[in-house]
Amino acid sequence: MSIPSLLRGKSPARTICWLLLVDFVFCIGFAVWTRTLAYQSRIQEGVVAAQTMSDAAIHHAESTLDTVGWMLEGVVERVEADGSEETSLGRLMLTRVQEKGSPLDSLTVIDRRGNAVATTREQGGAGLDDALHASITYHESHADRGIHVVPPAGRQVVTVSRRIDDGDGRYAGLVLATIPVRYFQDHYKRMVPGRHGAVALALADGTPLARLPQETGPAAPAAPIRLKTKANEIELLHSVARSDKYSLAVDAAVGKDDVLADWRRVTWQESAALAGEMLGVYLVCFWVIAQMRVRERLERTLRTTQEALEKQNAALARLADTDGLTGLHNRRHLDERMAAEVARAARERTPLSLIMMDVDFFKRYNDTYGHAAGDDCLRMVARVLAATVNRPADLAARFGGEEFAVLLPNTSQEGARGIAEAICEGVRAAGLPHRASDLGFVTISAGVATIVPAPGDGVRALVETADAALYEAKESGRNRVGAH
């Protein structure tokens, strides 16, 4: 039945009214359906944004504690090796605190009696004594060598400590570092969208460490974070991320009002368009065209923001896998690759080689020329490794301190030994003076280990074998390669 036939009859006005009513109901139903889909899409985008924030925040916290742990490890090794002589130790500690990009606010060395023997802080901060007492109590009763995180002292800093042992392995004190809470908050300011977004970093038991926005009013005692869906009548979309390395958790949230701001605006505009349809089809068409342009601009903005977040995450991942001093891969990335390569070599029954290297008489070099020159020496060795190890599958990394490692998949012992000899020759050829060495210039010793792992084997046997070969090379006079 055609529209003109509907207009014929006793009451065409009534027919037209029914048609208008049907059209009105259809338009309203269609609008409600489309806006419901858009609402669900915006909510999902908000959830993804909260998940991205929590993942980025927990990754930042892990990277920060990795960096602080490395700094504390260097100070502990210095104290355990040379004692706590004030001048040189204080200079080392001040260098760590003032190092570019350092998250540290202060470093303090505490002896076994609880006295500060060296510190970069001019005076104690609010709550620092309580944090120090908690750290001492923990390390006296725990023999592990890992770092220990204490909740904010006075809500201003996060304290991180590491145990010092004497020659017999007994408790001999600790090194205490403070990280300003604002260090985390400044990072969160760059990632929190909208007016109601929030990020909270806490220990795994819920004890807060840092949060944005900051709490106002007088500082209250530390209490577990309460993950709410509403705060001050503002509904939030939460995402929680937990660290596999440290006892940390992050609660990130975006405001539902922020997520739906554009949705509400578009919904009101489309409702106005439906009302305007009664005034003319042309007005409706113009409005739809305008809305399409707005939508395109919003989609471009969303794509640009997503690309920026992906680039930032990629940059953070690169930083997490790179040693800041030498530019080589770090120990964390080496451990991950070794585990993967051992599993692959076990499946394919191919040889896997590891070269462990150590700068000869490096402590003497530091004592003679200073730590800045020691860093230059390590960079020189790293340049030789980067120039020598050039197969795509090979991996050169800083193992820790003056130790380096080269992972060589599908490489026999003879081939690995040749590469180790080339690296030793490259370091010798650099001719870096070393007055405290018998040869008068910097050399390295290397240990080569080659295995064909069986299914289920781990990386420990490979590392221990390479270490043993390195030890034999050093015992045999250094400046040479040992192999097992």
Side-chain angles (χ1 to χ4, degrees):
M1 184 177 295
S2 63
I3 295 297
S5 65
L6 290 175
L7 297 177
R8 292 192 297 266
K10 295 181 179 180
S11 179
R14 182 175 181 181
T15 302
I16 293 174
C17 288
W18 277 107
L19 289 174
L20 289 176
L21 179 61
V22 170
D23 180 68
F24 177 80
V25 172
F26 173 81
C27 290
I28 291 297
F30 184 78
V32 170
W33 177 67
T34 57
R35 297 320 300 160
T36 299
L37 292 180
Y39 174 89
Q40 295 171 347
S41 175
R42 294 295 297 169
I43 291 296
Q44 183 60 33
E45 290 174 4
V47 172
V48 171
Q51 291 173 346
T52 301
M53 286 168 53
S54 63
D55 291 342
I58 201 68
H59 184 78
H60 174 261
E62 288 179 344
S63 299
T64 299
L65 291 186
D66 286 343
T67 300
V68 172
W70 171 80
M71 292 179 174
L72 293 185
E73 182 179 0
V75 175
V76 169
E77 289 178 355
R78 174 73 170 80
V79 173
E80 292 180 345
D82 302 333
S84 56
E85 194 274 314
E86 179 68 26
T87 303
S88 60
L89 179 58
R91 184 167 56 251
L92 171 63
M93 293 165 58
L94 189 61
T95 299
R96 289 288 185 260
V97 173
Q98 295 179 346
E99 185 176 345
K100 183 178 180 180
S102 171
L104 298 182
D105 179 58
S106 68
L107 273 172
T108 304
V109 176
I110 305 298
D111 63 16
R112 72 177 71 241
R113 293 181 296 276
N115 299 320
V117 296
T119 183
T120 63
R121 178 182 288 272
E122 296 182 0
Q123 59 185 3
L128 190 58
D129 291 341
D130 292 339
L132 175 59
H133 178 73
S135 298
I136 292 174
T137 301
Y138 176 86
H139 288 298
E140 284 180 341
S141 59
H142 293 77
D144 65 88
R145 304 282 283 173
I147 62 174
H148 177 60
V149 182
V150 179
R155 301 269 183 168
Q156 300 301 319
V157 296
V158 177
T159 58
V160 182
S161 59
R162 194 173 189 274
R163 173 182 169 126
I164 300 173
D165 287 344
D166 59 17
D168 297 327
R170 295 173 299 186
Y171 172 75
L174 57 89
V175 178
L176 184 75
T178 59
I179 307 173
V181 170
R182 67 175 180 277
Y183 175 80
F184 297 100
Q185 292 170 339
D186 290 343
H187 179 75
Y188 299 156
K189 288 177 182 177
R190 297 191 292 270
M191 63 167 39
V192 174
R195 296 185 300 111
H196 305 116
V199 179
L201 174 66
L203 296 180
D205 62 3
T207 304
L209 298 178
R211 67 177 71 203
L212 190 77
Q214 293 178 265
E215 292 182 338
T216 58
I225 293 177
R226 297 177 180 175
L227 301 180
K228 299 179 180 179
T229 56
K230 288 189 177 182
N232 298 326
E233 301 302 324
I234 299 173
E235 192 169 357
L236 302 176
L237 302 176
H238 286 265
S239 176
V240 178
R242 292 178 172 82
S243 171
D244 295 330
K245 297 177 59 178
Y246 302 103
S247 182
L248 298 175
V250 167
D251 174 27
V254 295
K256 192 173 181 180
D257 287 342
D258 297 333
V259 172
L260 296 178
D262 290 336
W263 178 85
R264 290 193 177 99
R265 180 174 58 82
V266 174
T267 299
W268 279 108
Q269 290 172 340
E270 291 188 355
S271 298
L274 285 174
E277 187 181 8
M278 302 301 175
L279 301 177
V281 174
Y282 291 110
L283 292 178
V284 173
C285 290
F286 290 146
W287 181 85
V288 169
I289 292 172
Q291 291 307 303
M292 291 176 62
R293 292 176 178 174
V294 171
R295 188 181 297 276
E296 289 175 357
R297 288 196 295 270
L298 290 174
E299 289 175 350
R300 286 196 297 269
T301 301
L302 287 173
R303 285 195 298 270
T304 301
T305 302
Q306 184 176 5
E307 291 171 357
L309 286 173
E310 291 174 352
K311 290 179 180 178
Q312 185 179 21
N313 289 338
L316 289 173
R318 287 193 298 272
L319 289 174
D321 293 338
T322 303
D323 176 64
L325 177 65
T326 63
L328 298 176
H329 291 291
N330 59 19
R331 173 71 179 276
R332 172 178 174 271
H333 185 63
L334 174 66
D335 289 343
E336 293 174 353
R337 277 290 303 277
M338 281 198 296
E341 291 298 338
V342 166
R344 185 190 62 79
R347 290 194 306 271
E348 300 175 0
R349 304 302 297 161
T350 56
L352 177 64
S353 296
L354 177 67
I355 306 174
M356 295 292 294
M357 289 162 285
D358 195 349
V359 180
D360 295 329
F361 303 112
F362 186 71
K363 182 181 181 301
R364 295 183 187 177
Y365 189 94
N366 271 342
D367 293 342
T368 303
Y369 297 97
H371 289 280
D375 290 344
D376 292 337
C377 174
L378 295 178
R379 293 189 187 99
M380 181 274 291
V381 176
R383 287 194 295 271
V384 173
L385 262 68
T388 307
V389 181
N390 47 32
R391 292 193 313 177
D394 297 343
L395 176 70
R398 185 182 180 191
F399 194 78
E402 71 274 20
E403 291 185 297
F404 296 85
V406 177
L407 184 64
L408 302 169
N410 199 19
T411 303
S412 65
Q413 186 180 80
E414 182 180 358
R417 187 183 185 98
I419 294 174
E421 294 286 0
I423 295 171
C424 291
E425 178 57 31
V427 173
R428 287 194 296 267
L432 187 64
H434 189 349
R435 294 196 305 270
S437 172
D438 297 335
L439 295 177
F441 51 87
V442 172
T443 60
I444 65 172
S445 299
V448 177
T450 302
I451 63 171
V452 178
D457 284 352
V459 302
R460 182 170 181 174
L462 180 62
V463 175
E464 290 178 345
T465 305
D467 257 332
L470 174 59
Y471 180 80
E472 289 180 6
K474 284 185 168 293
E475 287 295 308
S476 299
R478 294 184 169 83
N479 187 28
R480 65 194 64 211
V481 177
H484 276 190

